[in-house]
């Protein structure tokens, strides 16, 4: 790209200055709106709080609830020469320390919802040491400092630099695009959800961020006048890219801090939302909510996305029936790759079991265990090359080398780094990609390969099942399944086992079945499998 993400956003501030950029929906039914001009001014105030001596290897951390101040802090960070990371406001103070250590955090911006969480660090000497070199900025939402925040700041000031700021009192500062940008340096660090292991900091370079925006904006047909509903955290790549895309294309972004189906439907109607990016659990809640208002949003929404996972066939078709006039996109990717595949709306009805074709700027290969291309329709590991490829994991060269490496000789250019996703897939005769599970979840039962996703797929075919998960105890050779049933369902373990007995071979049959009304979630709304399995023991 000939222009950086910062230049593109700055151009939007000039082109759409009087347009509404952000609307923050509040729980009392009121809202706060900012124009592009006002957002730039607010971001300038945040930028003025940064240290002048920040370097390209020091990170800015944003530990905040989604708000206009959070967005302004992201914009200010983009204008800086340092990388930044958004830390989900739901994570613990100890996890913040882990991220601070891994990412060489220099500044940590908090708000009222997160500053109190840091109090837990005052009792731990190791945590004190981690944050001793971090400057904490508390952005409060009122002029006065309430006693509880004042006391917290006093406690934290014993071992780190901390100050409380009311942005309305900060002098204006005119943001300027940096004269030069280091192309091959990390601009954004996104920490993985940890669903397949410990969270890792994924480094993404600045020019790749603009490539991602252009790819996604083109697919969704984003343009000035679109209104996008933001319900996903900015620490999740889908929510993050939605923000970038909205700003660059002159859209209006509505921030909604609620996952309740009724609140989401109400926001779509109130603000005339044209696009929503959501994870499967969100759409499953919509499908099972039985809301009369869904008929109304079908005439307002232009598109939605199913991102960060997939839904059972019955639920995908139910979503289509609920929103017959809405374009439905499915996306596939990882934090390390952003978007690998996308099922375009025009292919959804015919190919809804697929995750689509490679997005523009990406090539996918399917390789066997020996590094050879597999035949059409055969299963192998999905290899991602092209835009979205991470720079690596921050501070973890060993993990980087396992994930990011060269293709086998004869399959690609010399020194071209690609992502070995660990996902298993196949490509059909029309070039559409299908997922079959993860390599690291596969286990063997009596010599037979078992992919948990196969068991979970059959479970979700049951009409009374919303979601499912599974685990395997190698020592006892026992499979356990976890089932989220529909509200008021009388579903029993016996009924589940009987249902599966007609659909699975004997070696794949679970020994235990646990029923739930809902599952624990990660910050991005995915099933928190480690927590779920520990609860089931």
């Amino acid at each position: 790209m000939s222009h950086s993400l910062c230049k593109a956003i700055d151009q939007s501030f000039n082109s759409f200055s009087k347009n509404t950029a952000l609307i923050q929906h509040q729980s009392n039914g009121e809202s706060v709106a900012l124009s592009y001009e006002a957002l730039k001014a607010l971001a300038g105030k945040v930028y003025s709080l940064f240290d002048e001596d920040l370097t390209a290897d020091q990170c800015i951390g944003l530990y905040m609830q989604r708000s206009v101040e959070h967005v302004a802090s992201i914009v200010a960070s983009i204008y800086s020469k340092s990388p930044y990371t958004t830390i989900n406001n739901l994570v613990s103070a100890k996890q913040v320390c882990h991220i601070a250590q891994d990412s060489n955090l220099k500044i940590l911006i908090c708000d009222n919802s997160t500053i109190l969480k840091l109090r837990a660090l005052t009792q731990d000497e190791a945590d004190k040491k981690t944050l001793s070199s971090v400057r904490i900025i508390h952005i409060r939402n009122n002029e006065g400092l309430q006693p509880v925040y004042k006391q917290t700041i006093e406690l934290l000031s014993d071992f780190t630099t901390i100050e409380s700021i009311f942005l309305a009192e900060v002098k204006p500062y005119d943001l300027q695009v940096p004269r030069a940008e280091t192309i091959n340096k990390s601009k954004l660090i996104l920490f993985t959800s940890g669903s397949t292991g410990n969270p890792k900091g994924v480094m993404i370079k600045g020019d790749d961020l603009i490539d991602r925006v252009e790819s996604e904006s083109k697919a969704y047909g984003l343009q000035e006048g679109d209104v996008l509903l933001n319900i996903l955290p900015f620490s999740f790549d889908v929510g993050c890219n939605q923000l970038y895309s909205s700003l660059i294309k002159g859209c209006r972004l509505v921030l909604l801090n609620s996952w309740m189906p009724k609140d989401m439907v109400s926001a779509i109607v109130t603000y005339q939302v044209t696009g929503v990016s959501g994870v499967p659990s969100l759409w499953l809640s919509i499908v099972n909510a039985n809301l009369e208002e869904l008929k109304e949003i079908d005439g307002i929404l232009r598109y939605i996305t199913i991102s960060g996972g997939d839904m059972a066939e019955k639920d995908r078709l139910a979503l289509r029936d609920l929103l017959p006039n809405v374009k439905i996109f499915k996306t596939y990717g990882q934090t390390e790759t952003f978007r690998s595949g996308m099922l375009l709306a025009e292919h959804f009805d015919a190919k809804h079991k697929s995750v689509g074709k490679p997005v523009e700027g990406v090539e996918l290969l399917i390789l066997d265990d020996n590094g050879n291309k597999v035949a059409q329709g055969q299963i192998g590991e999905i290899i991602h090359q092209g835009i979205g490829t991470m720079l690596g994991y921050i501070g973890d060269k060993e993990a980087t080398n396992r994930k990011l490496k060269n293709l086998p000789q004869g399959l690609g250019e010399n020194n071209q780094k690609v992502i070995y996703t660990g996902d298993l897939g196949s490509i059909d005769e029309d070039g559409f990609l299908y997922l079959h599970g993860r390599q690291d979840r596969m286990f063997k039962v009596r010599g037979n390969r078992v992919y948990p996703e196969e068991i979970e797929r059959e479970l979700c075919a049951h009409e009374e099942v919303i979601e499912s998960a599974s685990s395997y105890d190698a020592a006892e050779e026992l499979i356990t399944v976890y089932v989220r049933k529909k509200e008021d369902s009388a579903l029993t373990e016996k009924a589940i086992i009987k249902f599966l007995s007609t659909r699975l071979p004997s070696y794949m049959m679970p020994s235990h079945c646990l029923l739930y009304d809902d599952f624990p979630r990660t910050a991005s709304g995915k099933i928190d499998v480690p927590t779920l399995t520990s609860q089931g023991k």
Side-chain angles (χ1 to χ4, degrees), residues 498-513:
K498 182 178 180 181
F499 175 77
L500 290 178
S501 67
T502 64
R503 307 173 75 93
L504 295 175
S506 59
Y507 63 85
M508 292 177 66
M509 286 297 295
S511 302
H512 303 292
C513 174

Side-chain angles (χ1 to χ4, degrees), residues 276-296:
V276 183
S277 293
V279 292
S281 59
L282 174 76
W283 300 123
L284 287 169
S285 296
I286 291 290
V287 165
N288 291 281
N290 195 29
L291 294 173
E292 184 66 26
E293 295 87 345
L294 284 171
K295 295 178 181 178
E296 187 173 354

